[in-house]
Amino acid sequence: MQSCSPALCVLILLTIPVSVVKVKLHGSATLPCSERCSGLVRWTVFHKHSDTLAECDQTSCRSVKEGYQMIHDQYLKGNLSLIITDADFTQRGWYTCDCDGNDLCDVQLQIEPLKTPIQIKPSESLVLDLHISDPVEVIHNSTDAAGPSSGQICTVDGRSTRCKPEYTQRSSLTAALELRGVTPSDSGVYTVMDTRNEEIIHIYTVTVRDHSSDLDRDEGPPIPVWVIVVLAVMGTASLTVTVVLVVLVVVNVRLKRENLQLRMKDTKNRVETNEGSDSTEEQKLNVHPEVERSLPPKHRTFT
């Protein structure tokens, strides 16, 4: 879509209400115009007054071209806005609303620049969609310290491509601009700019990584923090249980040893008491085997 010349644009700004509407690609755009008109209201492409998109009069509204519409109830209230239901790059530019042939409003439609991150490997091809048939330039802002200086690398006008010498042998034009055999120095930001309207069409953030980079290693997703915390708590609890069990075993062994020593001492005392008496073998106390073996032979009750 054609734009106005600088002189004509200044004249428009001084004589007719103008506004700029910016929407996302394939979004719905409303071109505003608030004026009273009792006659025929038409929206046309700027400089093409015979190319009617939509129109309204006192009885009804009509969409002359698909994708453009006006609302009759709003027209009766003085809201003459044009609705573009699915805005794309071909619909960028200036639109005019007139009442019985007298211009009321001029509105410029812009599409928000697309933004795309790209990660590729060395020697692969970088494909940059241009989206429009209007003349464009491709600008590269390098993010690699060893990369080339920033600036325009190619211009495209229809089927004609002109690139810097270092890109000439690597570039080709099909439906998009292709740069073959990329290297890490090609990393950076590539901007596709409409040179006629000075609008940014697409911004590519490109990262070229070699085979030793993280791009080629599947390390899996990072472990959530809560999992690490749970594992740490479980590890601490397991260690605590182990320590408690060890302490209980040690205490149990010590208690058994002390109990045995007490029984040995008690048995010795009873044996010494029996030596001074004329008690028979049947009157002697039963002695624990382990204690029995610790006594002198003459005091043992069995051999």
Side-chain angles (χ1 to χ4, degrees), residues 2 10-11 21 42 48 51 56 60 63 77 94 112 120 131 139 162 169 172 201 226-228 235 245 264 270 297:
Q2 294 181 348
V10 172
L11 180 61
V21 174
R42 300 187 313 144
K48 294 182 180 180
D51 189 8
C56 276
S60 64
S63 296
K77 298 176 183 179
W94 288 88
E112 293 182 8
I120 56 177
H131 302 287
I139 302 169
R162 297 181 62 183
Q169 298 300 320
S172 60
I201 303 300
W226 67 268
V227 173
I228 297 175
L245 290 175
M264 290 173 60
R270 291 188 181 189

Side-chain angles (χ1 to χ4, degrees), residues 8-185:
L8 185 56
C9 285
V10 172
L11 180 61
I12 292 173
L13 290 171
L14 294 175
T15 58
I16 301 174
V18 297
S19 60
V20 177
V21 174
K22 182 176 290 189
V23 297
K24 295 182 180 297
L25 181 64
H26 300 306
S28 176
T30 299
L31 309 189
C33 186
S34 297
E35 298 285 345
R36 288 286 181 178
C37 178
S38 58
L40 176 66
V41 174
R42 300 187 313 144
W43 277 94
T44 61
V45 176
F46 191 79
H47 282 164
K48 294 182 180 180
H49 286 287
S50 61
D51 189 8
T52 303
L53 306 174
E55 60 186 17
C56 276
D57 55 25
Q58 292 294 319
T59 59
S60 64
C61 290
R62 294 164 294 280
S63 296
V64 180
K65 284 194 173 182
E66 184 178 358
Y68 301 89
Q69 64 183 30
M70 297 177 67
I71 300 175
H72 192 255
D73 289 345
Q74 297 300 316
Y75 159 83
L76 296 177
K77 298 176 183 179
N79 182 354
L80 312 180
S81 299
L82 174 69
I83 300 173
I84 302 176
T85 56
D86 185 12
D88 60 33
F89 287 110
T90 65
Q91 296 169 310
R92 295 172 305 122
W94 288 88
Y95 294 81
T96 298
C97 177
D98 69 71
C99 174
D100 292 331
N102 298 314
D103 290 353
L104 297 177
C105 304
D106 283 312
V107 183
Q108 183 184 23
L109 174 64
Q110 296 180 353
I111 304 296
E112 293 182 8
L114 301 176
K115 297 179 180 180
T116 304
I118 298 178
Q119 289 190 350
I120 56 177
K121 301 175 183 179
S123 76
E124 292 184 342
S125 294
L126 173 62
V127 179
L128 305 175
D129 289 324
L130 305 180
H131 302 287
I132 62 176
S133 58
D134 294 331
V136 299
E137 63 177 349
V138 179
I139 302 169
H140 177 216
N141 292 313
S142 179
T143 56
D144 188 89
S149 58
S150 301
Q152 181 193 93
I153 61 173
C154 290
T155 59
V156 180
D157 187 355
R159 302 301 305 169
S160 175
T161 304
R162 297 181 62 183
C163 296
K164 285 185 175 182
E166 59 266 34
Y167 292 95
T168 301
Q169 298 300 320
R170 301 171 50 200
S171 64
S172 60
L173 180 65
T174 54
L177 181 65
E178 179 181 352
L179 297 179
R180 297 179 297 274
V182 298
T183 65
S185 64

Side-chain angles (χ1 to χ4, degrees), residues 188-209:
V189 178
Y190 291 78
T191 303
V192 178
M193 172 79 73
D194 177 355
T195 55
R196 179 175 296 164
N197 297 303
E198 297 184 345
E199 291 181 35
I200 296 176
I201 303 300
H202 205 141
I203 300 174
Y204 296 89
T205 303
V206 179
T207 303
V208 182
R209 296 187 178 180

Side-chain angles (χ1 to χ4, degrees), residues 264-274:
M264 290 173 60
K265 184 177 180 181
D266 182 65
T267 300
K268 287 180 180 180
N269 290 337
R270 291 188 181 189
V271 170
E272 290 175 355
T273 301
N274 290 338

